[in-house]
Amino acid sequence: MLTNKAIARGAYEAGVRVLSAYPGTPSTEIAEHFAKMDGVYAEWAPNEKVAVEVALGASVAGARAMACMKHVGLNVAADPLFTAGYTGVNGGLVIVVADDPGMHSSQNEQDSRFYARSAHVPMFEPSDASEAKEFVKLAYETSERYDTPVLLRITTRVAHSHGVAELVDKQEISLKSYVKDPKKYVCMPANAIELHKRVEARDVALLKDVNEFSVNRAEYTDKNQIGVVCAGAVYQYVKEALPNVNVYKVGTSYPLPLEGIKEFSKNVKKLYVIEELEPYMEDAMKAVGIACEGKSLFSVQGELSTLKIREKFEGVSSPAPESVPARPPVMCAGCPHRGLFYTLKKNKLTVLGAIGCYTLGAVAPLAAVDTVICMGA
């Protein structure tokens, strides 16, 4: 099963009634698969902010709800996300964010884990299709138990991988009663000051509890040897590249299970953190006194792989890539933008373009677009 389909299935099994999303690789298929399931409401929103607002509205009304987007979409949705972190939820609310290390189809390579930390919202990070389905259900339990929205982070390699996932019957989750509570849902300063205190107390509870979550675990092969802390797709790379090392698998990117990692560090000779993009886990671990090494070996740019990890630890060089002709993307047959961009170029106009496939208007033979920064800066 495709991991994105597994996420949709996990939402269905968890009793999700409403899903609102904005399409963007690598998250698009989640909504497409969920829409085919019985007894649910699914929609494309005009943007990611609206998607989160629709899902949050359904949550306040008592339904389990989901919003889906790619990493740059979380920028657009940041406004309701940060406020929802204060107000909490009624029905469970999960926001799926799909990061794109390597920028296969994105305008930047940002790391969404920092959003979880900044918004004080828990984040789960699965490593395959089976985990993705089960993590969704755990995310809803966490959302309702701790009265918080929950982020589920995937990356391109996880989203578009296939794996085995066991299907179970849908949970029949009743709508929660809506109780009028302005002090919880009206985020004006006097209320928000009190809500912020509740958020900080929630952080303290979660920081302790995540160490007992089954998704955070130590896997020992030979204590007193090398240990690796990793999460998501990188966990799969590490297990394949270094089958004999001890691994601490992180399932909650925020809060990190720092007590569990600290205990793990005591049982290994040397501790490494292998993670894509920023030294998010490495910095957090060093901040609490856990000695480790990470970005001294690996770049903050691009994807990792089994071969890259093996090369660093075993000195095995990656084979030279085959010389394959480039296959650049093209606009779809019949796309009306072709004629538009042709006309713009013919008239020698300055064109301030928008993100998405319209960026192809910047390349030959059209070569009509001068800037692509957002929705038309």
Side-chain angles (χ1 to χ4, degrees):
M1 177 181 286
L2 180 74
T3 298
N4 277 348
K5 184 177 181 180
I7 292 172
R9 177 68 192 195
Y12 177 75
E13 292 179 6
V16 172
R17 295 169 182 254
V18 175
L19 182 147
S20 187
Y22 186 80
T25 301
S27 72
T28 306
E29 299 93 344
I30 301 170
E32 291 176 336
H33 285 292
F34 186 79
K36 298 174 184 176
M37 297 176 181
D38 296 331
V40 300
Y41 173 81
E43 68 171 25
W44 289 127
N47 59 54
E48 295 87 354
K49 180 177 185 289
V50 173
V52 170
E53 289 170 342
V54 168
L56 179 58
S59 166
V60 171
R64 286 189 168 184
M66 175 177 279
C68 307
M69 63 207 64
K70 66 185 295 177
H71 62 294
V72 287
L74 198 57
N75 300 331
V76 182
D79 179 19
L81 169 66
F82 276 71
T83 302
Y86 273 36
T87 66
V89 301
N90 188 16
L93 174 62
V94 172
I95 301 167
V96 182
V97 55
D99 283 7
D100 190 19
M103 293 181 282
H104 296 278
S105 60
S106 305
Q107 65 268 44
N108 71 23
E109 204 172 17
Q110 72 189 48
D111 192 326
S112 294
R113 294 177 296 177
F114 291 97
Y115 266 110
R117 189 176 76 182
S118 185
H120 298 272
V121 170
M123 173 182 275
F124 288 86
E125 189 166 356
S127 63
D128 59 28
S130 178
E131 280 193 352
K133 189 173 80 72
E134 298 308 315
F135 278 30
V136 167
K137 291 189 276 189
L138 178 59
Y140 279 102
E141 294 170 9
T142 302
S143 177
E144 293 176 353
R145 178 181 174 187
Y146 295 93
D147 191 11
T148 179
V150 173
L151 288 163
L152 182 83
R153 178 185 186 247
I154 54 175
T155 58
T156 301
R157 294 297 173 185
V158 174
H160 292 158
S161 65
H162 287 73
V164 176
E166 181 180 355
L167 307 186
V168 299
D169 292 337
K170 175 184 178 181
Q171 292 178 285
E172 295 302 329
I173 305 294
S174 300
L175 281 172
K176 293 181 178 293
S177 298
Y178 169 72
V179 178
K180 190 177 180 69
D181 189 357
K183 289 187 176 180
K184 174 176 169 63
Y185 295 117
V186 179
C187 243
M188 57 196 297
N191 294 340
I193 289 169
E194 295 303 314
L195 290 171
H196 193 187
K197 295 175 184 177
R198 186 184 62 81
V199 170
E200 295 303 321
R202 183 180 73 205
D203 267 359
V204 172
L206 274 165
L207 186 60
K208 176 184 177 183
D209 293 350
V210 293
N211 293 285
E212 305 302 321
F213 283 15
S214 61
V215 298
N216 297 313
R217 64 178 184 268
E219 299 176 357
Y220 292 105
T221 57
D222 185 6
K223 289 186 177 181
N224 301 317
Q225 296 301 314
I226 288 176
V228 173
V229 176
C230 54
V234 178
Y235 169 77
Q236 304 290 0
Y237 304 151
V238 169
K239 295 293 282 188
E240 183 176 348
L242 308 171
N244 297 318
V245 303
N246 305 295
V247 171
Y248 192 95
K249 184 182 188 302
V250 172
T252 57
S253 301
Y254 182 82
L256 285 171
L258 292 171
E259 289 303 316
I261 295 172
K262 187 175 291 186
E263 185 62 29
F264 176 75
S265 71
K266 296 175 183 176
N267 294 318
V268 298
K269 184 176 181 180
K270 185 172 178 61
L271 185 63
Y272 293 91
V273 185
I274 306 181
E275 56 188 324
E276 289 177 326
L277 304 180
E278 301 297 323
Y280 170 84
M281 294 193 292
E282 180 182 353
D283 287 349
M285 289 162 56
K286 288 178 176 177
V288 295
I290 301 174
C292 58
E293 186 176 352
K295 288 303 174 183
S296 59
L297 297 175
F298 298 99
S299 171
V300 296
Q301 298 180 353
E303 292 182 299
L304 294 176
S305 67
T306 300
L307 290 173
K308 287 179 180 178
I309 293 170
R310 188 175 291 153
E311 182 176 1
K312 291 295 182 182
F313 283 84
E314 299 181 353
V316 179
S317 299
S318 303
E322 296 181 15
S323 179
V324 179
R327 187 184 181 189
V330 297
M331 288 184 171
C332 299
C335 175
H337 286 93
R338 285 178 166 182
L340 174 62
F341 285 133
Y342 173 79
T343 302
L344 293 171
K345 181 184 179 182
K346 184 178 180 181
N347 286 276
K348 299 181 179 179
L349 298 175
T350 298
V351 180
L352 312 180
I355 58 176
C357 56
Y358 328 112
T359 57
L360 295 174
V363 298
L366 296 171
V369 177
D370 295 274
T371 70
V372 176
I373 301 171
C374 55
M375 292 293 186

